[in-house]
mmCIF file of all heavy atoms in Angstrom:
data_model
loop_
_atom_site.group_PDB
_atom_site.id
_atom_site.type_symbol
_atom_site.label_atom_id
_atom_site.label_comp_id
_atom_site.label_asym_id
_atom_site.label_seq_id
_atom_site.Cartn_x
_atom_site.Cartn_y
_atom_site.Cartn_z
ATOM 1 N N GLN K 731 111.060 27.195 -46.856
ATOM 2 C CA GLN K 731 112.522 27.202 -47.040
ATOM 3 C C GLN K 731 113.108 28.390 -46.323
ATOM 4 O O GLN K 731 112.480 29.478 -46.289
ATOM 5 C CB GLN K 731 112.897 27.219 -48.546
ATOM 6 C CG GLN K 731 112.522 25.969 -49.268
ATOM 7 C CD GLN K 731 113.028 25.956 -50.690
ATOM 8 O OE1 GLN K 731 112.233 25.922 -51.642
ATOM 9 N NE2 GLN K 731 114.369 25.937 -50.850
ATOM 10 N N ASP K 732 114.271 28.202 -45.769
ATOM 11 C CA ASP K 732 114.932 29.266 -45.042
ATOM 12 C C ASP K 732 116.436 29.230 -45.267
ATOM 13 O O ASP K 732 117.010 28.124 -45.228
ATOM 14 C CB ASP K 732 114.611 29.098 -43.524
ATOM 15 C CG ASP K 732 115.181 30.254 -42.739
ATOM 16 O OD1 ASP K 732 114.663 31.376 -42.850
ATOM 17 O OD2 ASP K 732 116.127 30.009 -41.966
ATOM 18 N N PRO K 733 117.099 30.380 -45.519
ATOM 19 C CA PRO K 733 116.482 31.679 -45.709
ATOM 20 C C PRO K 733 115.857 31.824 -47.098
ATOM 21 O O PRO K 733 116.046 30.967 -47.926
ATOM 22 C CB PRO K 733 117.696 32.597 -45.543
ATOM 23 C CG PRO K 733 118.822 31.816 -46.095
ATOM 24 C CD PRO K 733 118.555 30.378 -45.703
ATOM 25 N N ARG K 734 115.197 32.912 -47.335
ATOM 26 C CA ARG K 734 114.640 33.167 -48.671
ATOM 27 C C ARG K 734 115.726 33.763 -49.595
ATOM 28 O O ARG K 734 115.699 33.567 -50.780
ATOM 29 C CB ARG K 734 113.448 34.098 -48.560
ATOM 30 C CG ARG K 734 112.271 33.516 -47.827
ATOM 31 C CD ARG K 734 111.597 32.374 -48.640
ATOM 32 N NE ARG K 734 111.210 32.803 -49.942
ATOM 33 C CZ ARG K 734 110.096 33.430 -50.218
ATOM 34 N NH1 ARG K 734 109.222 33.701 -49.267
ATOM 35 N NH2 ARG K 734 109.804 33.815 -51.458
ATOM 36 N N HIS K 735 116.603 34.525 -48.975
ATOM 37 C CA HIS K 735 117.686 35.137 -49.753
ATOM 38 C C HIS K 735 118.986 34.991 -48.950
ATOM 39 O O HIS K 735 118.960 35.132 -47.701
ATOM 40 C CB HIS K 735 117.424 36.627 -49.992
ATOM 41 C CG HIS K 735 116.148 36.910 -50.721
ATOM 42 N ND1 HIS K 735 116.021 36.882 -52.079
ATOM 43 C CD2 HIS K 735 114.923 37.170 -50.228
ATOM 44 C CE1 HIS K 735 114.785 37.155 -52.408
ATOM 45 N NE2 HIS K 735 114.077 37.331 -51.322
ATOM 46 N N LYS K 736 120.093 34.762 -49.665
ATOM 47 C CA LYS K 736 121.386 34.652 -49.028
ATOM 48 C C LYS K 736 122.438 35.241 -49.964
ATOM 49 O O LYS K 736 122.536 34.864 -51.120
ATOM 50 C CB LYS K 736 121.726 33.181 -48.759
ATOM 51 C CG LYS K 736 123.088 32.956 -48.125
ATOM 52 C CD LYS K 736 123.098 33.443 -46.685
ATOM 53 C CE LYS K 736 124.422 33.143 -46.038
ATOM 54 N NZ LYS K 736 124.482 33.639 -44.624
ATOM 55 N N ILE K 737 123.177 36.224 -49.427
ATOM 56 C CA ILE K 737 124.264 36.795 -50.149
ATOM 57 C C ILE K 737 125.546 36.400 -49.411
ATOM 58 O O ILE K 737 125.631 36.597 -48.186
ATOM 59 C CB ILE K 737 124.169 38.338 -50.246
ATOM 60 C CG1 ILE K 737 122.874 38.714 -50.958
ATOM 61 C CG2 ILE K 737 125.369 38.924 -50.970
ATOM 62 C CD1 ILE K 737 122.612 40.213 -50.988
ATOM 63 N N THR K 738 126.505 35.860 -50.121
ATOM 64 C CA THR K 738 127.701 35.387 -49.488
ATOM 65 C C THR K 738 128.890 35.723 -50.391
ATOM 66 O O THR K 738 128.754 35.955 -51.592
ATOM 67 C CB THR K 738 127.648 33.883 -49.209
ATOM 68 O OG1 THR K 738 128.733 33.499 -48.374
ATOM 69 C CG2 THR K 738 127.724 33.094 -50.506
ATOM 70 N N LYS K 739 130.047 35.723 -49.764
ATOM 71 C CA LYS K 739 131.264 35.961 -50.530
ATOM 72 C C LYS K 739 131.856 34.634 -51.003
ATOM 73 O O LYS K 739 131.722 33.623 -50.327
ATOM 74 C CB LYS K 739 132.285 36.722 -49.671
ATOM 75 C CG LYS K 739 131.857 38.159 -49.359
ATOM 76 C CD LYS K 739 132.962 38.905 -48.618
ATOM 77 C CE LYS K 739 132.514 40.317 -48.348
ATOM 78 N NZ LYS K 739 133.573 41.111 -47.614
ATOM 79 N N ARG K 740 132.462 34.701 -52.146
ATOM 80 C CA ARG K 740 133.074 33.515 -52.714
ATOM 81 C C ARG K 740 134.028 32.874 -51.701
ATOM 82 O O ARG K 740 134.768 33.560 -51.028
ATOM 83 C CB ARG K 740 133.854 33.923 -53.975
ATOM 84 C CG ARG K 740 134.419 32.789 -54.799
ATOM 85 C CD ARG K 740 135.072 33.281 -56.040
ATOM 86 N NE ARG K 740 136.105 34.279 -55.709
ATOM 87 C CZ ARG K 740 136.762 34.982 -56.614
ATOM 88 N NH1 ARG K 740 136.484 34.837 -57.917
ATOM 89 N NH2 ARG K 740 137.691 35.819 -56.255
ATOM 90 N N GLY K 741 133.897 31.563 -51.605
ATOM 91 C CA GLY K 741 134.766 30.833 -50.656
ATOM 92 C C GLY K 741 134.101 30.526 -49.336
ATOM 93 O O GLY K 741 134.585 29.665 -48.582
ATOM 94 N N GLN K 742 132.995 31.182 -49.043
ATOM 95 C CA GLN K 742 132.281 30.907 -47.801
ATOM 96 C C GLN K 742 131.383 29.685 -47.931
ATOM 97 O O GLN K 742 131.010 29.280 -49.047
ATOM 98 C CB GLN K 742 131.446 32.142 -47.408
ATOM 99 C CG GLN K 742 132.267 33.381 -47.133
ATOM 100 C CD GLN K 742 133.142 33.219 -45.926
ATOM 101 O OE1 GLN K 742 132.696 32.909 -44.844
ATOM 102 N NE2 GLN K 742 134.442 33.434 -46.101
ATOM 103 N N ASN K 743 131.006 29.136 -46.797
ATOM 104 C CA ASN K 743 130.071 28.029 -46.782
ATOM 105 C C ASN K 743 128.659 28.529 -46.484
ATOM 106 O O ASN K 743 128.495 29.479 -45.713
ATOM 107 C CB ASN K 743 130.465 26.979 -45.708
ATOM 108 C CG ASN K 743 131.815 26.386 -45.951
ATOM 109 O OD1 ASN K 743 132.363 26.479 -47.040
ATOM 110 N ND2 ASN K 743 132.357 25.765 -44.894
ATOM 111 N N VAL K 744 127.683 27.939 -47.069
ATOM 112 C CA VAL K 744 126.274 28.293 -46.804
ATOM 113 C C VAL K 744 125.466 27.026 -46.568
ATOM 114 O O VAL K 744 125.784 25.957 -47.118
ATOM 115 C CB VAL K 744 125.653 29.122 -47.964
ATOM 116 C CG1 VAL K 744 126.341 30.477 -48.097
ATOM 117 C CG2 VAL K 744 125.692 28.363 -49.264
ATOM 118 N N THR K 745 124.414 27.178 -45.784
ATOM 119 C CA THR K 745 123.481 26.076 -45.540
ATOM 120 C C THR K 745 122.076 26.556 -45.667
ATOM 121 O O THR K 745 121.714 27.597 -45.112
ATOM 122 C CB THR K 745 123.683 25.477 -44.138
ATOM 123 O OG1 THR K 745 125.033 25.028 -44.044
ATOM 124 C CG2 THR K 745 122.740 24.334 -43.895
ATOM 125 N N PHE K 746 121.249 25.792 -46.377
ATOM 126 C CA PHE K 746 119.854 26.088 -46.575
ATOM 127 C C PHE K 746 119.033 25.024 -45.907
ATOM 128 O O PHE K 746 119.413 23.836 -45.871
ATOM 129 C CB PHE K 746 119.491 26.150 -48.048
ATOM 130 C CG PHE K 746 120.394 26.998 -48.903
ATOM 131 C CD1 PHE K 746 120.757 26.573 -50.175
ATOM 132 C CD2 PHE K 746 120.885 28.214 -48.435
ATOM 133 C CE1 PHE K 746 121.577 27.341 -50.950
ATOM 134 C CE2 PHE K 746 121.697 28.987 -49.220
ATOM 135 C CZ PHE K 746 122.075 28.541 -50.487
ATOM 136 N N ARG K 747 117.852 25.395 -45.458
ATOM 137 C CA ARG K 747 116.925 24.460 -44.829
ATOM 138 C C ARG K 747 115.647 24.372 -45.587
ATOM 139 O O ARG K 747 115.118 25.344 -46.109
ATOM 140 C CB ARG K 747 116.664 24.886 -43.385
ATOM 141 C CG ARG K 747 115.670 23.969 -42.640
ATOM 142 C CD ARG K 747 115.432 24.390 -41.254
ATOM 143 N NE ARG K 747 114.326 23.637 -40.678
ATOM 144 C CZ ARG K 747 114.398 22.960 -39.541
ATOM 145 N NH1 ARG K 747 115.542 22.910 -38.852
ATOM 146 N NH2 ARG K 747 113.324 22.339 -39.063
ATOM 147 N N CYS K 748 115.076 23.161 -45.626
ATOM 148 C CA CYS K 748 113.764 22.937 -46.230
ATOM 149 C C CYS K 748 112.915 22.130 -45.252
ATOM 150 O O CYS K 748 113.341 21.098 -44.756
ATOM 151 C CB CYS K 748 113.918 22.144 -47.534
ATOM 152 S SG CYS K 748 112.329 21.554 -48.216
ATOM 153 N N ASP K 749 111.715 22.619 -45.000
ATOM 154 C CA ASP K 749 110.710 21.891 -44.202
ATOM 155 C C ASP K 749 109.603 21.426 -45.147
ATOM 156 O O ASP K 749 108.860 22.278 -45.655
ATOM 157 C CB ASP K 749 110.171 22.749 -43.093
ATOM 158 C CG ASP K 749 111.169 22.935 -41.960
ATOM 159 O OD1 ASP K 749 111.951 23.900 -42.043
ATOM 160 O OD2 ASP K 749 111.160 22.083 -41.052
ATOM 161 N N PRO K 750 109.493 20.127 -45.386
ATOM 162 C CA PRO K 750 108.478 19.667 -46.310
ATOM 163 C C PRO K 750 107.102 19.632 -45.665
ATOM 164 O O PRO K 750 106.937 19.900 -44.483
ATOM 165 C CB PRO K 750 108.917 18.246 -46.605
ATOM 166 C CG PRO K 750 109.599 17.817 -45.340
ATOM 167 C CD PRO K 750 110.264 19.041 -44.778
ATOM 168 N N ILE K 751 106.121 19.349 -46.487
ATOM 169 C CA ILE K 751 104.761 19.136 -45.938
ATOM 170 C C ILE K 751 104.848 17.872 -45.049
ATOM 171 O O ILE K 751 105.465 16.864 -45.412
ATOM 172 C CB ILE K 751 103.777 18.915 -47.105
ATOM 173 C CG1 ILE K 751 103.638 20.225 -47.879
ATOM 174 C CG2 ILE K 751 102.418 18.453 -46.562
ATOM 175 C CD1 ILE K 751 102.823 20.134 -49.149
ATOM 176 N N SER K 752 104.227 18.011 -43.915
ATOM 177 C CA SER K 752 104.363 16.900 -42.924
ATOM 178 C C SER K 752 103.818 15.606 -43.521
ATOM 179 O O SER K 752 102.831 15.617 -44.253
ATOM 180 C CB SER K 752 103.597 17.249 -41.647
ATOM 181 O OG SER K 752 102.245 17.521 -41.927
ATOM 182 N N GLU K 753 104.458 14.521 -43.213
ATOM 183 C CA GLU K 753 104.122 13.195 -43.659
ATOM 184 C C GLU K 753 104.444 12.934 -45.149
ATOM 185 O O GLU K 753 104.127 11.875 -45.681
ATOM 186 C CB GLU K 753 102.662 12.894 -43.416
ATOM 187 C CG GLU K 753 102.332 12.894 -41.923
ATOM 188 C CD GLU K 753 100.879 12.590 -41.610
ATOM 189 O OE1 GLU K 753 100.110 12.417 -42.573
ATOM 190 O OE2 GLU K 753 100.530 12.597 -40.421
ATOM 191 N N HIS K 754 105.050 13.902 -45.853
ATOM 192 C CA HIS K 754 105.550 13.621 -47.183
ATOM 193 C C HIS K 754 106.910 12.872 -47.008
ATOM 194 O O HIS K 754 107.828 13.397 -46.406
ATOM 195 C CB HIS K 754 105.787 14.914 -47.976
ATOM 196 C CG HIS K 754 104.548 15.428 -48.616
ATOM 197 N ND1 HIS K 754 104.546 16.453 -49.543
ATOM 198 C CD2 HIS K 754 103.250 15.030 -48.505
ATOM 199 C CE1 HIS K 754 103.314 16.652 -49.986
ATOM 200 N NE2 HIS K 754 102.506 15.810 -49.346
ATOM 201 N N ASN K 755 106.974 11.682 -47.556
ATOM 202 C CA ASN K 755 108.183 10.906 -47.342
ATOM 203 C C ASN K 755 109.284 11.225 -48.359
ATOM 204 O O ASN K 755 110.443 10.920 -48.144
ATOM 205 C CB ASN K 755 107.887 9.411 -47.325
ATOM 206 C CG ASN K 755 107.287 8.951 -48.653
ATOM 207 O OD1 ASN K 755 106.817 9.732 -49.465
ATOM 208 N ND2 ASN K 755 107.298 7.648 -48.828
ATOM 209 N N ARG K 756 108.920 11.902 -49.463
ATOM 210 C CA ARG K 756 109.915 12.195 -50.475
ATOM 211 C C ARG K 756 110.241 13.697 -50.481
ATOM 212 O O ARG K 756 109.350 14.552 -50.347
ATOM 213 C CB ARG K 756 109.403 11.810 -51.859
ATOM 214 C CG ARG K 756 109.119 10.318 -52.016
ATOM 215 C CD ARG K 756 108.860 9.960 -53.437
ATOM 216 N NE ARG K 756 108.514 8.556 -53.591
ATOM 217 C CZ ARG K 756 107.284 8.088 -53.815
ATOM 218 N NH1 ARG K 756 106.267 8.953 -53.923
ATOM 219 N NH2 ARG K 756 107.058 6.841 -53.938
ATOM 220 N N LEU K 757 111.522 13.990 -50.622
ATOM 221 C CA LEU K 757 111.966 15.352 -50.623
ATOM 222 C C LEU K 757 113.024 15.519 -51.723
ATOM 223 O O LEU K 757 113.914 14.688 -51.858
ATOM 224 C CB LEU K 757 112.562 15.732 -49.222
ATOM 225 C CG LEU K 757 112.929 17.201 -49.017
ATOM 226 C CD1 LEU K 757 112.724 17.592 -47.562
ATOM 227 C CD2 LEU K 757 114.367 17.485 -49.445
ATOM 228 N N TYR K 758 112.931 16.640 -52.438
ATOM 229 C CA TYR K 758 113.793 16.881 -53.585
ATOM 230 C C TYR K 758 114.446 18.267 -53.504
ATOM 231 O O TYR K 758 113.816 19.194 -53.028
ATOM 232 C CB TYR K 758 112.979 16.828 -54.899
ATOM 233 C CG TYR K 758 112.108 15.602 -55.022
ATOM 234 C CD1 TYR K 758 110.870 15.566 -54.399
ATOM 235 C CD2 TYR K 758 112.536 14.507 -55.727
ATOM 236 C CE1 TYR K 758 110.071 14.421 -54.482
ATOM 237 C CE2 TYR K 758 111.741 13.365 -55.820
ATOM 238 C CZ TYR K 758 110.511 13.352 -55.182
ATOM 239 O OH TYR K 758 109.745 12.226 -55.267
ATOM 240 N N TRP K 759 115.639 18.364 -53.986
ATOM 241 C CA TRP K 759 116.303 19.637 -54.173
ATOM 242 C C TRP K 759 116.552 19.853 -55.663
ATOM 243 O O TRP K 759 117.000 18.949 -56.386
ATOM 244 C CB TRP K 759 117.632 19.692 -53.435
ATOM 245 C CG TRP K 759 117.534 19.834 -51.930
ATOM 246 C CD1 TRP K 759 117.619 18.849 -51.017
ATOM 247 C CD2 TRP K 759 117.354 21.070 -51.199
ATOM 248 N NE1 TRP K 759 117.495 19.379 -49.768
ATOM 249 C CE2 TRP K 759 117.323 20.726 -49.841
ATOM 250 C CE3 TRP K 759 117.226 22.392 -51.570
ATOM 251 C CZ2 TRP K 759 117.171 21.673 -48.831
ATOM 252 C CZ3 TRP K 759 117.068 23.335 -50.571
ATOM 253 C CH2 TRP K 759 117.043 22.990 -49.226
#
Side-chain angles (χ1 to χ4, degrees):
Chain K
Q731 292 187 244
D732 184 69
R734 295 291 304 277
H735 302 274
K736 178 71 177 179
I737 300 174
T738 191
K739 292 184 178 180
R740 188 177 55 186
Q742 298 295 305
N743 299 343
V744 294
T745 300
F746 310 141
R747 177 179 170 126
C748 170
D749 286 90
I751 293 172
S752 57
E753 299 179 358
H754 276 190
N755 60 345
R756 299 189 182 106
L757 186 148
Y758 310 83
W759 286 98

